[in-house]
Structure formats: C-alpha cells, structure tokens
Amino acid sequence: VVNSVLQFLQECPMQLELKQAFIGELNTIREVDATGNEFSTARYQGACIDLQSRSVRPAVFGYKGPAVGTRHCRLLTGGKTYCELRDDTTGFFRVAWWKFKLRPSEEIQFRRLLQLSDQALLQCTSTSPRAEAPHFAQDMRETFRTLLQHPDSDALFPNGDLVFRWNGHEWEQVIERTKAEAPVLQSLVPDTIQSEAESRETRAAHLLR
C-alpha cells in the first residue's frame, strides 16, 4: 500500500508537498488476542482528503466501488498493481483490461484454497491475518471463483475494459465498442477519409469552372 501511494505521488502531474507519512510506529498499536498473545496492527487503515480544507482524516470505506472481485483478480494474475480507476474528465469508473492466463497449477491451487475453512484461508492468503476485515475470506473466495470461471483475459473482459458511470444512485455499466467491432470500424476510416477528400476535390473543381 505504501509503495502504491508513493508511486502515485511520484507520477502525479500536480506539485505536492508531503509533510508527514503516517506509517510505521506512528500508525501501529499493540493488541492482545483471545489466547493472550500480543500482536501489532494498524491504528488507521484508510484516509480521505477534504478538498476544501486540504486536511487528511482517517476514514473507513464500506463500499469500494463496482467490480471489486474483478479488480482483486489483478493482484493474483500479475497485473499492474496500481492503475487509475476514475477519469475525472468523463466521470467514468474504468477497470482496465490486462493480459493474463491461468496456469493449470494455479487452477489446482485456487480450487484447494476454496476447500479451506475461513480461518485457514485467512492464514494462507493474508500477510496480516489479525488485521484483516471480517469479510476478507469471503472476498478471497469470490476472487478465486471469478478466476476459475474466467481463466484468461479474453474470458474476463469479452468486451474490453469494464466501464461504469454514476447515474445519481448507483454505478451502471457502460458498453463500449467490442473487440470484434474494432477492426470493422478501423477499416471504415480510410474510406471515409477518401470520400471526404473526393468531395473537397469535386467542390474545388466546380469553383474553378
């Protein structure tokens, strides 16, 4: 998470001044589990920015936007870990296509993980099992099932990127041009340009007469 934030700050076109990074000991507390063992966990796991006051505050995000299961698949299939999701110019929420194909060994591993209990799945798949949200195991199961049902990029993205727009109440999916339509549209471009050029030549010939 820290690397993603720092990468965003590095690539952001705006000039930003980072005054304090609330990580490490500053954001770590000690807790005790049911068996009496101490463990470390994060004091805050989310933050939001007030654009008017320009202040940063702790936050908890109950809703994480559309296509969460598909977005989680990116982390397990070698996709780019950080990518822009929302386009401020159009207001669209875009889950970008990425290239992947599950190996047979990965399919076997995911099926075995689905057979584990929630506690065992938590221990096998999380780097911080004691700090995860209660729905962590459920989210992981959804991700594994999605990948097993869609084992490559063409199956997961039959129409290219997943695009959503806010209709005032919820995110609704927008169907863009499909991959099958793209070559057809591209093949029409030269003819269109040629016909426009011919029309301009015809008009010019009439003016010269």
Side-chain angles (χ1 to χ4, degrees):
V1 174
V2 174
N3 289 336
S4 297
V5 172
L6 294 178
Q7 181 181 353
F8 168 77
L9 294 175
Q10 181 69 26
E11 298 176 353
C12 182
M14 296 182 294
Q15 183 176 358
L16 302 173
E17 181 181 355
L18 182 63
K19 292 186 175 181
Q20 183 177 18
F22 198 53
I23 57 178
E25 294 182 359
L26 293 173
N27 194 38
T28 302
I29 58 175
R30 301 288 296 177
E31 293 188 357
V32 180
D33 61 17
T35 60
N37 296 320
E38 287 191 357
F39 65 95
S40 299
T41 186
R43 188 185 305 272
Y44 303 112
Q45 297 187 13
C48 65
I49 302 175
D50 189 326
L51 298 179
Q52 294 183 346
S53 64
R54 298 184 179 182
S55 60
V56 180
R57 303 173 183 174
V60 176
F61 301 94
Y63 177 64
K64 296 179 173 59
V68 175
T70 301
R71 287 152 51 195
H72 284 171
C73 293
R74 182 186 300 272
L75 302 177
L76 298 180
T77 54
K80 185 179 179 181
T81 55
Y82 173 79
C83 62
E84 294 288 348
L85 290 174
R86 190 174 186 277
D87 186 344
D88 291 333
T89 59
T90 63
F92 285 176
F93 190 102
R94 180 182 299 273
V95 181
W97 177 96
W98 74 93
K99 183 69 175 178
F100 78 93
K101 181 178 178 60
L102 290 187
R103 298 188 298 270
S105 59
E106 291 176 321
E107 295 188 20
I108 294 174
Q109 181 184 18
F110 291 161
R111 294 186 189 280
R112 288 177 177 174
L113 288 171
L114 282 174
Q115 297 175 0
L116 299 178
S117 65
D118 286 355
Q119 185 61 32
L121 184 62
L122 179 68
Q123 295 293 329
C124 290
T125 57
S126 173
T127 58
S128 307
R130 291 172 172 172
E132 298 293 356
H135 53 76
F136 176 85
Q138 178 182 350
D139 291 345
M140 291 302 300
R141 293 184 191 280
E142 179 185 354
T143 303
F144 294 146
R145 292 191 186 101
T146 300
L147 285 173
L148 290 172
Q149 294 170 2
H150 309 85
D152 56 47
S153 51
D154 289 335
L156 190 60
F157 296 96
N159 297 321
D161 296 352
L162 295 179
V163 183
F164 302 85
R165 65 183 171 191
W166 184 254
N167 62 12
H169 304 283
E170 61 183 359
W171 290 101
E172 60 180 5
Q173 187 169 357
V174 178
I175 304 300
E176 292 191 318
R177 184 181 64 188
T178 64
K179 293 180 180 179
E181 293 171 338
V184 177
L185 294 176
Q186 290 174 0
S187 64
L188 294 177
V189 172
D191 296 336
T192 304
I193 295 175
Q194 183 178 359
S195 62
E196 290 180 354
E198 291 175 351
S199 299
R200 287 196 297 269
E201 291 177 359
T202 302
R203 290 195 297 268
H206 284 299
L207 290 175
L208 293 174
R209 288 177 183 175

